Amino acid sequence: MNGQTNTTVRVRGLAKSFGDNHVLRNIDLTVSQGEVVVIMGPSGSGKTTFIRSLNFLELPDRGSVSVCGIEVSDAGAKPGRAERGRITEIRKKTAMVFQSFNLFGHMTALDNVVEGLVSVRGVKRALANVRGRELLAQVGLLEKAGEYPGRLSGGQKQRVAIARALAMDPEVILFDEPTSALDPELRGEVLKVMRDLAGKGMTMLVVTHETRFAQEVADRIVFMEGGHIVEDTTPAHFFGPQASERSVQFLGRIC
């Protein structure tokens, strides 16, 4: 573990249903500053819905989410004015990296990175571009600043997406299967950037099946099934000889 004790993310009693499908069932989770928490589980276990609920891309039916001390409780499908304000504040503290990149195809890599700084934060374009170039250099893509997404590989697109997330100076980054759309040879370049972020103390929640990344980088493994957290443990336990029968079965299917 990283030794940090400050709570950055706290979830209590989180529940979400789509019709009769109970996707999340009273989830509790606490994440400390600087922790890397990898979320694993079979398809349909609620992983993506859970991580999207942390910045309210999905609105949970019940429960509370607190990020950096900003809490929203029982907002439901139609949060009130006060809740909407707190949701906005939580979104300022978090960034999301999606499986499908979600870049603007008509914008260059640099413009994708700085768009939030300009349109949301009101930073002047010239200053935003300086920061954008710094971030593209950080993810190893400065030479691609003027390229459009259509001319980038999948791994390069995802690294641009990570640079875009970093541009907003988040305190927490949420990753939803960031390498699952990539060919195996391209995954390494994205995982390297994520390892670097972890090494710098970024608080990260990562939905992934990348077992080597989980073993080497994660502080904790959260295993979900049926809308529940059924294990919250260390990588050494989850991947080791004391692993539960269910986790061994799961790992046997994905490895």
Side-chain angles (χ1 to χ4, degrees), residues 34-107:
E35 273 196 301
V36 178
V37 176
V38 164
I39 303 169
M40 293 185 143
S43 177
S45 60
K47 307 182 300 295
T48 290
T49 299
F50 173 60
I51 206 165
R52 287 172 62 89
S53 296
L54 298 182
N55 67 350
F56 296 89
L57 291 177
E58 291 287 355
L59 292 171
D61 299 327
R62 297 185 308 281
S64 67
V65 174
S66 174
V67 178
C68 301
I70 305 161
E71 183 170 326
V72 177
S73 298
D74 295 323
K78 295 183 179 180
R81 182 175 180 180
E83 288 82 4
R84 291 197 302 271
R86 288 193 289 272
I87 288 170
T88 297
E89 291 304 307
I90 284 177
R91 287 174 174 167
K92 290 178 181 178
K93 301 289 187 180
T94 60
M96 187 96 176
V97 177
F98 300 91
Q99 175 183 355
S100 55
F101 322 131
N102 287 12
L103 299 179
F104 294 110
H106 65 288
M107 293 183 178

Side-chain angles (χ1 to χ4, degrees), residues 110-111 114-115 118 123-130:
L110 179 61
D111 288 340
V114 306
E115 177 61 25
V118 174
V123 177
K124 292 188 179 300
R125 176 72 63 172
L127 290 176
N129 283 346
V130 171

